[in-house]
Amino acid sequence: MSAGTAGTAGTAGTHKEPKVSEREARQVAEAAREQEWRKPSFAKELFLGRFRLDLIHPHPLPADEDVRRGEAFLARLREFCENEVDGALIDREARIPDDVIRGLKELGALGMKIDAKYGGLGLTQVYYNKALALVGSASPAIGALLSAHQSIGAPQPLKLFGSQEQKDTFLPRLAATDISAFLLTEPDVGSDPARLATTAVPDGEDGYVLDGVKLWTTNGVVADLLVVMARVPKSEGHPGGITAFLVEAGDEGVTVEHRNAFMGLRGLENGVTRFHRVRVPAAHRIGPEGAGLKIALTTLNTGRLSLPAMCVGAGKWCLKIAREWSAEREQWGRPIALHEAVGSKISFIAATTFALEAVLDLSSQMADEDRNDIRIEAALAKLYGSEMACLMADELVQIRGGRGFETADSLAARGERAVPAEQVLRDLRINRIFEGSTEIMHLLIAREAVDAHLKAAGDLIDPDKSLGDKAKAGARAGGFYARWLPKLVAGPGQLPLSYGDFHPAGHPDLAAHLRYVERTSRKLARSTFYAMSRWQGRMETKQGFLGRIVDIGAELFAMSAACVRAELLRGEGEFGREAYQLADAFCRQSRLRVEELFDRLWANTDDLDRKVVRGVLSGTYAWLEQGVVDPSGEGPWIADATPGPTVKENVHRPIR
């Protein structure tokens, strides 16, 4: 996709982005991490081989008043979606009608997560996510707009890091009228913020001058208020570093140069934004200089839950369509649902939707209670939800056959029900890239999962550390592993009566699945230890191995959440038997995936793949590319982002 070529005529290709080494890039990312674990984490313990069921069971529940307010808003939102939102129109015209956005403002949807004292609705994370699942089912583009505004846009950073004056000034606007956007990515900077090129140069005692270009600014085309990450140069009185700023979108020097178009989420107001000598008051800086990445990562700890929320909504819709269509469509004398080839796909969609909702609700309720550190849980929810939702949508397209590939408009034009299966597949695909691609999420989660090992033995495998430092690290590591390793030998998962609460009479045996999770978490921890012993400092380069470790952890987390949710529903007397059946089906499917992942930890083609890649890059296999034509257009692979005045029309479109 093209973002347009930014910059002035005659300067293309001359701007040089900051060059940093791999080590420097890692140091920047590491400095932005939340270093300490002040609260317990179920997922962190899981990766360490400790199955802490007590952290998630009994399943935490929202307060009655939170439920009342949340359900009341969901009822109003559902009515609005059914009567005012035309998802097909939004996809067809690639724009959310202004009247719809104004209606959402009047409904209070911009302030779902903003405290009532600032004019917001003050919904819990649980009900905020339920609202996103609902509105996202009507139009994923609307879900993305509301999510980008509240999950990563200005409200959350202000809530966590803003001064009281900033909260008093901006939160009432953001709750009622003003749309916000979060601007970090640049044309040549994605998940490597150490190379961030946008600058904020101090200007006197009370301000900064902002220059640079930001890419893929979700909501940027219609936003009123921007959170911009920029690099402050280090100077006297200024520690410098990547810093977060609030910028008025209508300020002089702010230009939306292009509205991007995508294969899905066609109503997404996403663009390229240029800043040329934009003066930002020091009072609009969020937090101290150099805290920008920490603010961004902390915001995403819970902000990432918005994407799995919409994935859950998509799963529910896929299940509904699969059920209705496969009961109606007959093949060889019976409904296609009763053919095993189709039935297995329906079972996968049903069981996985149940598990995804279990993961989302559990993580969200833990976020609301704030008793646990959920940074890994939220990341796992985003990773697992985005991957599994794409698989479910793809299976739905397959179940629908040719009708799954046909557009809803075409189906309607020839007299059939306008089912937008292909659109859902297109819309969901971006979730594997948004807010941390699957590959980046693997690395992020893996880093957190091995944190205890690095704290114990980090200096031991650091080539830059002295022999004295390594000796001290060796002593620390010896003590840690002497205490830790013996605990990985045996546990409750080997006792046949463990977790007996999860095997009530007349229900499937979920206790057996929890015993499997406990045993497998210890096996996962042992595998991680073996890998660190084998590769030591090279462990971070084994991205294939780390990705599989994380995927196993994701499956174990999902199995745990599914079992706990099933027991909650049984205890409440609501669909308990059915929930147990779905949890049992999901766990059996998940266990097959886990065993395959374990096999691939040590038996894989990773080494051979690296050789092939080097051959591809060197042109060794260029002959294989012959016999086709390349329909790509002309232009550079990465648009020029030289700072300077714009030469393009401002397509900023605020909605009043």
Side-chain angles (χ1 to χ4, degrees):
M1 59 191 152
S2 171
T5 303
T8 54
T11 64
T14 62
H15 180 54
K16 299 296 184 184
E17 305 292 351
K19 297 297 181 184
V20 296
S21 68
E22 182 179 355
R23 183 172 181 78
E24 289 171 326
R26 288 199 304 270
Q27 288 173 339
V28 169
E30 185 66 17
R33 279 185 62 248
E34 190 173 349
Q35 302 289 329
E36 300 300 323
W37 294 86
R38 298 179 179 86
K39 299 173 184 176
S41 165
F42 174 80
K44 175 177 177 285
E45 294 292 301
L46 198 64
F47 280 106
L48 285 171
R50 299 190 285 248
F51 180 47
R52 291 286 308 279
L53 185 61
D54 60 295
L55 292 177
I56 61 172
H57 174 69
H59 194 296
L61 293 172
D64 290 343
E65 175 58 21
D66 292 335
V67 172
R68 186 194 65 77
R69 286 188 297 109
E71 292 294 339
F73 176 71
L74 288 180
R76 298 195 300 273
L77 183 63
R78 174 178 289 277
E79 182 180 4
F80 179 84
C81 290
E82 290 175 343
N83 297 325
E84 305 297 334
V85 176
D86 185 340
L89 175 70
I90 292 170
D91 184 67
R92 186 165 54 248
E93 297 188 352
R95 177 160 294 177
I96 303 170
D98 289 1
D99 285 346
V100 171
I101 296 178
R102 282 192 283 265
L104 290 167
K105 292 181 180 182
E106 293 171 3
L107 200 61
L110 292 188
M112 286 188 285
K113 285 193 71 180
I114 297 176
D115 196 287
K117 66 183 177 182
Y118 299 112
L121 298 179
L123 296 186
T124 62
Q125 185 73 37
V126 168
Y127 275 96
Y128 169 66
N129 286 337
K130 289 181 182 295
L132 289 179
L134 174 60
V135 75
S137 67
S139 168
I142 294 178
L145 181 142
L146 294 176
S147 169
H149 166 66
Q150 289 171 94
S151 297
I152 59 173
Q156 192 70 2
L158 282 174
K159 174 184 176 181
L160 297 175
F161 299 98
S163 67
Q164 190 58 53
E165 182 180 359
Q166 288 172 335
K167 293 175 183 178
D168 292 339
T169 301
F170 295 110
L171 288 179
R173 289 170 49 185
L174 293 163
T177 58
D178 287 17
I179 297 171
S180 69
F182 175 79
L183 283 64
L184 171 62
T185 304
E186 297 176 0
D188 198 27
V189 179
S191 298
D192 184 11
R195 296 169 53 244
L196 200 75
T198 298
T199 59
V201 178
D203 180 33
E205 296 293 325
D206 62 346
Y208 298 81
V209 175
L210 197 63
D211 282 279
V213 179
K214 295 293 185 180
L215 175 63
W216 295 325
T217 59
T218 297
N219 287 359
V221 179
V222 297
D224 304 286
L225 195 63
L226 313 173
V227 177
V228 183
M229 295 294 167
R231 184 185 302 280
V232 177
K234 189 175 183 179
S235 62
E236 185 176 352
H238 290 277
I242 298 174
T243 306
F245 296 92
L246 283 170
V247 180
E248 300 281 358
D251 279 355
E252 184 178 354
V254 181
T255 306
V256 179
E257 294 190 326
H258 180 76
R259 183 180 186 269
N260 301 319
F262 303 102
M263 67 178 282
L265 288 184
R266 290 179 175 168
L268 198 67
E269 297 290 354
N270 179 296
V272 178
T273 304
R274 175 177 292 272
F275 301 92
H276 176 59
R277 300 200 60 77
V278 179
R279 196 173 193 287
V280 182
H284 286 198
R285 187 189 69 218
I286 306 176
E289 289 182 7
L293 283 184
K294 186 176 289 290
I295 289 172
L297 291 178
T298 304
T299 298
L300 282 171
N301 280 345
T302 54
R304 283 196 175 98
L305 291 173
S306 62
L307 288 187
M310 287 181 281
C311 290
V312 167
K316 288 174 177 286
W317 181 83
C318 287
L319 179 60
K320 179 178 186 294
I321 298 302
R323 172 178 59 82
E324 294 176 354
W325 165 248
S326 58
E328 176 72 21
R329 176 77 164 113
E330 289 192 357
Q331 187 81 3
W332 300 319
R334 55 179 175 164
I336 59 171
L338 299 182
H339 291 282
E340 193 171 276
V342 174
S344 63
K345 299 180 187 301
I346 297 172
S347 175
F348 167 73
I349 293 173
T352 305
T353 297
F354 177 81
L356 286 189
E357 187 169 41
V359 165
L360 177 68
D361 280 4
L362 179 61
S363 301
S364 300
Q365 187 58 42
M366 288 196 294
D368 285 330
E369 293 188 347
D370 200 26
R371 290 189 293 110
N372 296 314
D373 187 322
I374 67 154
R375 73 182 90 161
I376 299 182
E377 285 85 347
L380 287 172
K382 188 275 176 188
L383 167 70
Y384 197 70
S386 60
E387 290 291 323
M388 300 306 273
C390 277
L391 289 176
M392 288 191 289
D394 189 64
E395 293 288 40
L396 176 65
V397 168
Q398 191 71 18
I399 291 169
R400 289 274 292 160
R403 291 173 174 85
F405 194 66
E406 191 173 1
T407 68
D409 284 347
S410 177
L411 289 165
R414 59 181 185 79
E416 291 193 4
R417 183 172 171 179
V419 178
E422 59 83 28
Q423 181 193 334
V424 168
L425 185 57
R426 286 190 285 107
D427 289 340
L428 284 170
R429 184 60 182 82
I430 188 57
N431 291 336
R432 296 176 60 202
I433 301 170
F434 261 173
E435 296 180 20
S437 68
T438 290
E439 294 72 27
I440 292 299
M441 297 306 296
H442 276 149
L443 298 181
L444 183 152
I445 297 167
R447 172 61 187 85
E448 300 294 354
V450 301
D451 187 54
H453 299 279
L454 293 179
K455 285 181 177 177
D459 289 352
L460 196 61
I461 61 177
D462 189 335
D464 293 339
K465 294 298 181 180
S466 68
L467 289 177
D469 289 334
K470 289 180 181 292
K472 293 177 183 177
R476 285 197 307 270
F480 171 76
Y481 289 118
R483 295 188 302 272
W484 179 66
L485 284 171
K487 298 177 182 178
L488 301 183
V489 176
Q494 292 164 297
L495 302 176
L497 299 181
S498 294
Y499 314 115
D501 291 349
F502 289 82
H503 191 192
H507 291 68
D509 183 6
L510 298 188
H513 298 309
L514 292 179
R515 290 195 292 272
Y516 175 85
V517 172
E518 195 278 333
R519 294 193 306 273
T520 308
S521 70
R522 287 187 280 112
K523 181 180 179 182
L524 181 64
R526 292 195 300 269
S527 298
T528 305
F529 172 73
Y530 297 154
M532 290 196 68
S533 302
R534 176 177 175 179
W535 292 312
Q536 299 184 25
R538 294 184 294 123
M539 178 79 160
E540 64 187 22
T541 68
K542 303 297 180 179
Q543 296 178 1
F545 178 89
L546 292 173
R548 295 174 199 115
I549 286 287
V550 169
D551 286 340
I552 292 169
E555 295 283 2
L556 298 181
F557 178 41
M559 291 171 66
S560 305
C563 291
V564 169
R565 181 175 180 81
E567 176 59 17
L568 169 68
L569 294 178
R570 186 189 72 85
E572 292 180 340
E574 184 177 26
F575 309 118
R577 193 177 304 277
E578 295 82 1
Y580 257 68
Q581 291 170 347
L582 288 171
D584 182 46
F586 173 78
C587 288
R588 291 177 184 275
Q589 295 168 10
S590 178
R591 288 169 69 161
L592 294 175
R593 294 190 292 266
V594 167
E595 293 306 311
E596 180 182 354
L597 286 165
F598 268 117
D599 288 343
R600 290 176 56 213
L601 282 181
W602 310 108
N604 52 64
T605 62
D606 292 351
D607 291 339
L608 178 59
D609 293 343
R610 280 190 287 272
K611 292 179 183 178
V612 171
V613 168
R614 285 194 290 269
V616 169
L617 293 180
S618 67
T620 301
Y621 311 124
W623 52 268
L624 190 58
E625 301 165 9
Q626 297 174 7
V628 298
V629 295
D630 182 358
S632 305
E634 298 296 323
W637 286 104
I638 299 171
D640 180 58
T642 304
T646 188
V647 295
K648 297 191 174 184
E649 177 187 357
N650 189 359
V651 297
H652 181 227
R653 188 174 61 85
I655 299 169
R656 303 299 181 196

